[in-house]
Amino acid sequence: MLTIYGVYRSRASRNIWLANELGIPFRLERVMQRYRLLPEIAGQVLNTRSPAFLAINPNGHVPAIDDDGLVLHESLAINLYLAKKHGGPLAPADPAEDARMTMWALWAANEVEPNALTVLLHRVSRPPAERDPALAQAAIEALRAPFAVLDQALAASGYLVGGRFTVADINTAEIVRFAMGAPELFAAAPNVRNWLAACHAREAFKAMMAEREKEPA
Ligand SMILES: N[C@@H](CCC(=O)N[C@@H](CS)C(=O)NCC(=O)O)C(=O)O
């Protein structure tokens, strides 16, 4: 049995979306980000600093999984593992596709995620008084080049690997989602805009988001 540690409003969303796509059952062990809890209730809620969770992921971050005793952290690595384990069209068909899927996961984590997170924090999720527009703008400027790369990669088939929807699209789309507070990036990259819309129209994504909306922000 697969256990996913995290909450919908965390990078566990990536693993839950993939599990929904694969149709595999999972148990969600709710682990809250410590910084989202008031200190007075932190001891009562399983969170990213709880000793019981640190035994699962000593980094103190969600998500993590326990898949019949295989314990993993890192959301993108978890998705690559689950896709390969369960096979089918989301998974690599051969070593070349495997390499491309790994490439896109590392690319998204390194070239996009830090700046996309800055856009999310400073344009969307932090209270307006705590946002730094200059930081957001610098992140947006830095994302123009990787968005152009992604736009070009999507031009041929509308997908990243193998001309079909795969785990590479899930991993990359979940990181690109963080930048949605910068519509100017998507206006300049229509293939990225259309691809993300297609990813977000998938039933498995919508089911994940419906649960996410039920969680307190
Ligand atoms: N590279 C990691 C990042 C994990 C991460 O930073 N998770 C955040 C939530 S989305 C977290 O646990 N923050 C709470 C904390 O650091 O205490 C991954 O992709 O799994």
Side-chain angles (χ1 to χ4, degrees):
M1 177 73 176
L2 171 65
T3 300
I4 300 176
Y5 296 85
V7 286
Y8 282 89
R9 289 187 186 274
S10 77
R11 290 174 176 86
S13 61
R14 302 167 181 180
N15 308 132
I16 295 167
W17 178 8
L18 180 83
N20 289 348
E21 292 278 357
L22 291 168
I24 51 174
F26 65 90
R27 186 177 72 86
L28 183 66
E29 179 74 65
R30 288 184 185 270
V31 181
M32 281 286 292
Q33 295 94 332
R34 173 66 183 78
Y35 62 78
R36 290 177 62 198
L37 291 172
L38 294 170
E40 51 270 31
I41 62 160
Q44 301 151 37
V45 179
L46 191 59
N47 67 74
T48 48
R49 296 295 173 275
S50 301
F53 179 65
L54 290 170
I56 299 292
N57 182 4
N59 295 289
H61 299 316
V62 287
I65 63 164
D66 183 334
D67 188 34
D68 288 328
L70 176 64
V71 176
L72 295 174
H73 55 82
E74 287 305 319
S75 57
L76 307 181
I78 291 168
N79 272 0
L80 291 169
Y81 158 71
L82 289 173
K84 284 187 258 190
K85 176 178 175 183
H86 294 278
L90 296 183
D94 54 38
E97 284 197 0
D98 194 0
R100 290 190 183 102
M101 291 177 188
T102 305
M103 178 187 80
W104 283 115
L106 292 172
W107 177 84
N110 288 300
E111 304 285 338
V112 179
E113 189 164 38
N115 285 313
L117 197 53
T118 300
V119 173
L120 178 68
L121 294 175
H122 290 279
R123 273 220 173 163
V124 180
S125 59
R126 284 196 179 160
E130 292 171 26
R131 295 179 197 167
D132 181 338
L135 266 183
Q137 196 55 44
I140 290 164
E141 294 311 321
L143 284 169
R144 289 190 189 280
F147 264 61
V149 169
L150 186 57
D151 203 61
Q152 180 60 37
L154 292 166
S157 73
Y159 297 107
L160 285 173
V161 177
R164 65 185 192 282
F165 181 80
T166 70
V167 63
D169 298 293
I170 295 177
N171 279 345
T172 308
E174 277 292 85
I175 288 175
V176 169
R177 179 161 65 85
F178 287 173
M180 285 179 72
E184 58 268 53
L185 287 171
F186 295 87
N191 296 324
V192 177
R193 184 193 59 215
N194 295 342
W195 161 81
L196 194 63
C199 288
H200 289 181
R202 296 183 69 86
E203 291 306 319
F205 176 83
K206 289 195 283 187
M208 180 278 289
M209 284 304 264
E211 291 302 314
R212 187 181 158 96
E213 295 303 321
K214 292 179 194 165
E215 284 186 354

